[in-house]
Amino acid sequence: MRNKIIAPFLILMFIFSSFTSNTDDPVITKIIEEGLSGNQAMKHLDMLTNRFGGRLTGSVAYESAALWAAGKFREWGMEVIMDEAGEVPVGFDRGPCFGKMLSEDGMILHFATPSYTVGTKGVQRGHVVAEPKSQQEFDRMKGHLKGAWVLVTGENDGYPVDWTKTGDHLRDSIINLNQEIVKKNEEIKKENTTNEGKKKAKELIPMADAPALFYRQMVEAGILGIIQSSSIPIKAMYDRKNLPFMSLAHLPAVPDIKLDKHQYSIISTKVMERQYVLLEFDIRNYFRPGPIKYHNVIGVIKGSDFPDELVIMGGHLDSYDVGSGASDNASGAVQAMEAARLIMASGGKPKRTILVCLWAAEEFGLLGSWSWINRNEEKLGKISNMFNWDSGPRVFSGIAVSDAMMEDMKKVCEPINSINPDFPFEVTRREPRPKPEKAWGTDSGPFAVKGVPTLNFSAGDAKGYNFDYMEIWHTERDEFSKIIPEYVEHNAIVTAVVVYGVAHLDHPLSRDGYYLQP
């Protein structure tokens, strides 16, 4: 009789324990309490952006940020792996810059230069000319090029003009084509003159174009630098074509300036009217001898029961340096860092190991994450999920999961709606998708290519602060002032709750139905 009473009781206890909410977990409770009362996400972000600044791969700022992040992980009681991911042949550090137009209607110039391009040789002052577009034009003005700033055509796309022999070869082919076009146009002009009043005039053939068409010849003639029109805000990335082959003996010869399109238009109009325009620049772009190694910074929270099984969270630590890399991607890095701190401060001992990965060289082609994957292929099958944030300071509003994950993820995410009623959170269904053949443009991409689940949060501007990610993306406006603190702090708490919850499940998060099977 006693056994008949105990058996149903044990069954009820098992059922109850299977559906116990994560809100009953004291670690989750402490994570939320600490996240609401002592959140340090903005303190971390201030350090990354206002103390180190833009964290370009190969810069002192990146190295300093990596060492600082590693120190914080150790301070919080985590193991740290300084994971060497690659190297660049030279280092680059951006110093101050200044420019102005010198005249009665002069102005301070608003401009930027891409990373891994040279600055001026001190303060350099010179007249302005428009670039030649044919051999005849070059021959006519080559004596006037010495000491000149040259306006070049095209619109800034964030990258410098290719200054190497490869670029010269392409430009030479266009110059030769234009020589043929000039000859044909001369014939058309003669024909139109002969047939004037008899036949409709033939249209001239448009010339082919490329920015700085006579780049090599202009440098040899002694120009000070080239100036290209840029939309606002100004975008400035790096010399991706030529960085792998750079050395201190093989650098671009002159500055490549991207100038506010409104100012460019004013100056260009004056030059077209053959007015004398005098510009002065002081641009301090510094190089260091290499090779310069770069590292992923990985903080480890060791799993208690299944230490070989992994949950990854993180974001890239590097950024461009035209701004301070606040939204892209200090906001993602510090959310992961603060989530780690909250887990550690709450006494969390997850059953699976959590890797907090601050990736290197994302902006240079996902180099840090690809490097880790290529050296850790045997671990990929044991990753429950790779959580990555690289979409700026928008607040998390939900997550879409596969059918096989739904029950676990609803349980894991249940406490989120108790954090802040202003930011409701919903778990929705994710349709199975094909495994991508090519990585998308952030560090979760390589993991997806390898078949690792990459659940990510949906997000938005819930309070209507008018944040526009494309305004800051790789531009001068990617600054601390664009960050929305309450979003970043809330996201750090959500990240901690979800990552700890997934890592603390009794079983791995199911991959069934996440990717379509071929």
Side-chain angles (χ1 to χ4, degrees):
M1 181 69 180
R2 185 169 179 270
N3 289 341
K4 289 181 180 179
I5 294 173
I6 291 174
F9 177 76
L10 291 175
I11 293 171
L12 286 171
M13 286 294 291
F14 174 78
I15 293 172
F16 178 77
S17 65
S18 298
F19 291 92
T20 299
S21 167
N22 262 23
T23 55
D24 299 325
D25 188 329
V27 172
I28 296 296
T29 301
K30 289 179 181 177
I31 284 173
I32 294 173
E33 289 175 351
E34 173 65 16
L36 291 173
S37 63
N39 202 301
Q40 296 182 23
M42 289 304 296
K43 185 178 179 181
H44 309 325
L45 205 148
D46 174 52
M47 182 64 71
L48 285 180
T49 60
N50 297 325
R51 302 299 171 261
F52 302 130
R55 300 161 305 284
L56 186 76
T57 299
S59 69
V60 170
Y62 182 82
E63 293 173 3
S64 299
L67 291 172
W68 169 80
K72 299 305 288 185
F73 287 154
R74 292 190 186 97
E75 177 185 320
W76 302 332
M78 300 165 64
E79 178 189 341
V80 175
I81 302 170
M82 294 299 286
D83 181 58
E84 185 179 319
E87 63 183 32
V88 288
V90 293
F92 179 88
D93 295 285
R94 186 183 297 277
C97 62
F98 182 79
K100 57 186 176 181
M101 183 171 78
L102 303 167
S103 62
E104 289 184 0
D105 58 348
M107 55 186 167
I108 303 300
L109 298 177
H110 173 208
F111 68 96
T113 56
S115 302
Y116 286 96
T117 62
V118 297
T120 57
K121 297 174 181 177
V123 178
Q124 292 189 289
R125 179 183 296 181
H127 60 284
V128 185
V129 300
E131 67 165 311
K133 287 299 183 182
S134 69
Q135 187 64 51
Q136 291 87 341
E137 285 184 12
F138 176 79
D139 292 340
R140 187 181 71 241
M141 64 185 297
K142 62 183 178 182
H144 193 50
L145 288 169
K146 185 176 178 60
W149 296 105
V150 180
L151 301 179
V152 301
T153 56
E155 182 78 13
N156 170 38
D157 63 359
Y159 298 105
V161 168
D162 185 357
W163 47 274
T164 64
K165 290 182 179 179
T166 301
D168 288 338
H169 179 74
L170 175 61
R171 288 186 289 268
D172 286 345
S173 66
I174 295 174
I175 290 169
N176 291 335
L177 174 62
N178 281 344
Q179 287 298 99
E180 295 301 315
I181 292 174
V182 167
K183 292 177 183 178
K184 290 180 180 178
N185 281 340
E186 288 300 321
E187 294 174 2
I188 292 173
K189 289 176 183 178
K190 290 178 182 178
E191 184 178 342
N192 286 340
T193 300
T194 302
N195 295 324
E196 187 173 1
K198 301 176 184 177
K199 292 182 180 180
K200 183 180 178 180
K202 291 183 178 179
E203 292 186 0
L204 298 178
I205 303 169
M207 303 279 275
D209 194 16
L213 198 52
F214 284 79
Y215 181 90
R216 182 187 73 254
Q217 298 92 325
M218 292 191 300
V219 168
E220 291 171 351
I223 64 170
L224 298 181
I226 59 175
I227 303 172
Q228 188 177 50
S229 175
S230 177
S231 59
I232 306 301
I234 297 175
K235 180 180 290 188
M237 293 183 278
Y238 77 113
D239 192 347
R240 61 179 175 179
K241 290 182 179 178
N242 300 309
L243 174 57
F245 316 108
M246 283 188 188
S247 68
L248 293 185
H250 185 60
L251 298 174
V254 296
D256 188 329
I257 295 166
K258 310 304 183 183
L259 180 65
D260 180 323
K261 66 179 182 181
H262 306 293
Q263 296 181 331
Y264 183 97
S265 178
I266 292 170
I267 295 169
S268 179
T269 298
K270 289 177 177 291
V271 170
M272 291 302 105
E273 294 172 350
R274 297 184 68 83
Q275 294 186 43
Y276 181 77
V277 181
L278 190 64
L279 301 184
E280 180 179 277
F281 287 98
D282 183 2
I283 303 168
R284 305 184 187 187
N285 290 351
Y286 302 122
F287 287 82
R288 289 187 292 148
I292 307 294
K293 298 183 185 299
Y294 53 83
H295 299 79
N296 300 318
V297 184
I298 302 176
V300 182
I301 304 176
K302 199 74 170 178
S304 58
D305 294 9
F306 314 109
D308 292 337
E309 296 180 16
L310 305 174
V311 179
I312 294 177
M313 66 170 166
H316 67 90
L317 184 61
D318 69 306
S319 73
Y320 287 117
D321 61 355
V322 66
S324 62
S327 293
D328 185 17
N329 183 43
S331 62
V334 303
Q335 285 170 191
M337 289 183 69
E338 179 60 6
R341 190 193 72 82
L342 292 174
I343 293 170
M344 297 300 292
S346 302
K349 298 188 183 302
K351 294 177 179 178
R352 277 166 203 81
T353 295
I354 297 172
L355 298 184
V356 188
C357 297
L358 307 182
W359 303 109
E362 189 268 0
E363 299 291 9
F364 285 11
L366 315 179
L367 302 182
S369 49
W370 268 123
S371 173
W372 188 89
I373 285 172
N374 291 335
R375 291 177 287 109
N376 291 276
E377 291 271 1
E378 75 285 356
K379 297 176 182 176
L380 300 180
K382 297 181 179 180
I383 300 172
S384 288
N385 194 72
M386 191 278 191
F387 293 94
N388 182 75
W389 190 249
D390 186 17
S391 297
R394 300 177 299 132
V395 71
F396 294 163
S397 59
I399 193 167
V401 305
S402 65
D403 290 336
M405 296 176 175
M406 184 64 73
E407 184 177 329
D408 284 331
M409 290 303 294
K410 280 188 172 181
K411 177 181 174 182
V412 165
C413 296
E414 185 177 352
I416 295 173
N417 281 314
S418 70
I419 300 170
N420 187 332
D422 291 341
F423 306 136
F425 190 93
E426 184 180 12
V427 181
T428 57
R429 183 175 182 273
R430 175 190 184 276
E431 291 286 346
R433 301 169 192 170
K435 185 175 67 174
E437 296 181 2
K438 183 180 179 181
W440 51 69
T442 189
D443 290 302
S444 56
F447 285 86
V449 169
K450 295 294 185 177
V452 176
T454 57
L455 293 176
N456 202 11
F457 299 105
S458 53
D461 186 359
K463 290 195 171 182
Y465 291 124
N466 198 29
F467 176 78
D468 181 356
Y469 188 77
M470 296 312 295
E471 177 188 2
I472 63 88
W473 187 56
H474 301 166
T475 78
E476 61 189 331
R477 293 187 187 166
D478 190 1
E479 296 287 356
F480 186 85
S481 60
K482 294 292 184 181
I483 293 295
I484 304 170
E486 61 186 302
Y487 291 177
V488 173
E489 291 172 351
H490 180 79
N491 290 354
I493 305 171
V494 173
T495 301
V497 168
V498 173
V499 170
Y500 180 80
V502 171
H504 204 53
L505 290 170
D506 291 328
H507 51 272
L509 198 61
S510 176
R511 292 187 175 190
D512 291 346
Y514 189 84
Y515 292 114
L516 291 172
Q517 297 303 312

